[in-house]
Structure formats: structure tokens, C-alpha cells
Amino acid sequence: MKKGLYNILNVIAGWGLIVLLSACNGIMDGIYDEAPQAAEGEIYVDATSWTEWHYIKFAVSLQFTATSPNDQATNSQISTYDIPTTPTAEFDADGTGIYNYWYDVFGEGISKRELRSSYPTERQPEPEEWDIAVHRNNVRTNGGAVYQTNITDINAIGSSTSYATLPFVEDEWNETDVWTVNSQMLSGVVGNQRIKINTELSKWLTMEIPPMPPTFVYNGNVFIVRLKDGTYAALRLKNYKTTDGRNCGLTIEYRYPL
């Protein structure tokens, strides 16, 4: 009897987890059409989906003015690509694939995890030219590196001549943070994409569990991105909410080039 009750409570808890995390899951995509208004020198990206990377190419003379998901689709400087989840024959040298981790979401939190299984997939597709890419609260660069300042006003950022000796952080391989597959969520298991991400720039928005529901910790500092061509950009996450209150609707302030 006790075992049956325990199983029922686990199912209820699992469903609760799906509801609580759906704010960044894309489950409600298509219901809400409005997005925060992006001003000149800003870009809005609807990064609520678990299954997409959004690639951004910085512009020198053009300003991002995307104000809705539909605008994103036609903005030549934002490209969206699905995350590959179909199994392939074997892992490549980088171990590209989906890594299924169990997370102790109702106990010690997501810092306690165990690898349960993995399978290979195709490599992540991407456009020919891009500078950064965002997936929910994850960010990566295209061969770049990132430094976090203690400045919160992007207009207070100076010339790139002062950045050459700063300790920039490059992207690194990760298989625990890019949550992609939720088909085993009832068991506390999430499928993660193994891919390089920039852990420094990803600090602009972090998800914390516990508590439940999850909390998102917002970092309003300006980040300096050193692009692979040696130029610099300044980025600041201005807002991470959609107009209907969902997490991972990213309004990004930027200056390029510095």
C-alpha cells in the first residue's frame, strides 16, 4: 500500500515538474503573439523553446529592431536551427549527442545528477556567419571569448583598447546544462545536448533548483565579447520575460564594434 502511494506521489510530482518548467519549454508557443518592444540597439529573441538555437550576427550599421517572433523569422541577422535529437550510428570524436541525466529536482537540486544513458546525433547545424547563439539561458560563441564586467550601464563601456589583457573565458564542452529532451521528465531524467557553451556569458541568466518552482537569477552586468576576428562587442541582458510572463524571452542590449 505504501509503495502504491509512493508511486502516485511520484507521478503527481513529475507532472508538477512539467508544469513548473513549461515556462521555458515552448509548450505554450503560438498562443501568445506579442513580444517585448525592442528599441534601437537592442534585439529580442524568443528563446523559450528547448529545441532551438538562435544565431545572432552583430551589425555595424544596422540596428536590431525585432519586436515579435514573426519579425525574428525575417530578420536576416537572426537564424534559428533545431537541435538534432535523432540517433545516428556512432559517436564522433567529440562525443556529439544527447546525454540523459537524472536530476534530484525534488531533493538536493540539479547539482546532484547521474548520467543514465547517451546516444550519438548529428552535429548542431549553424549558419555560415554568426557571432553568438542562445538557447533558453545557455549562450555560446563562434570561436570567441567573454569577460564579465561590474558595469551595469552599457553606455559606460569604453574603447576596446583597454580589453586586451583581460581574462576572457572561451567556450567549453558541456553535457549537463543544455536541456533539450523532456520525454522522461516524469522520472526526473532530462536529455542534454553535448555542445560547447560559454559558461561566463551564460551567467547573465541562471536557473536554480531548488526551490520549486525554479527561480531564474538575473545578472544585469555588461559582458564584453571578443569575436574570433578580434573585434569586440558589449552585451547586456535587459529583460528575460515575455509579455505574458514566461522566462527566456531575451531582450539584449548591444554595442558593436567597441
Side-chain angles (χ1 to χ4, degrees), residues 142-160:
N142 185 12
V146 179
Y147 173 77
Q148 179 182 182
T149 76
N150 60 2
I151 299 171
T152 57
D153 180 1
I154 198 168
N155 294 314
I157 294 297
S159 165
S160 63

Side-chain angles (χ1 to χ4, degrees), residues 166-184:
L166 293 177
F168 282 83
V169 177
E170 298 181 348
D171 293 16
E172 58 187 37
W173 286 103
N174 182 286
E175 63 183 44
T176 61
D177 296 332
V178 183
W179 289 19
T180 303
V181 181
N182 64 2
S183 58
Q184 300 182 69

Side-chain angles (χ1 to χ4, degrees), residues 6-77:
Y6 178 79
N7 290 336
I8 292 172
L9 291 176
N10 272 345
V11 171
I12 293 173
W15 277 110
L17 178 61
I18 287 180
V19 172
L20 293 170
L21 294 183
S22 64
C24 273
N25 191 2
I27 291 175
M28 306 301 288
D29 286 357
I31 295 179
Y32 304 99
D33 293 325
E34 292 188 19
Q37 295 294 309
E40 184 178 11
E42 298 178 356
I43 179 172
Y44 173 75
V45 183
D46 183 349
T48 55
S49 172
W50 284 28
T51 61
E52 297 173 339
W53 278 101
H54 306 275
Y55 295 86
I56 300 169
K57 174 68 178 175
F58 297 130
V60 176
S61 59
L62 298 177
Q63 299 293 333
F64 293 114
T65 56
T67 57
S68 75
N70 289 333
D71 288 339
Q72 284 191 66
T74 59
N75 190 318
S76 61
Q77 294 179 280

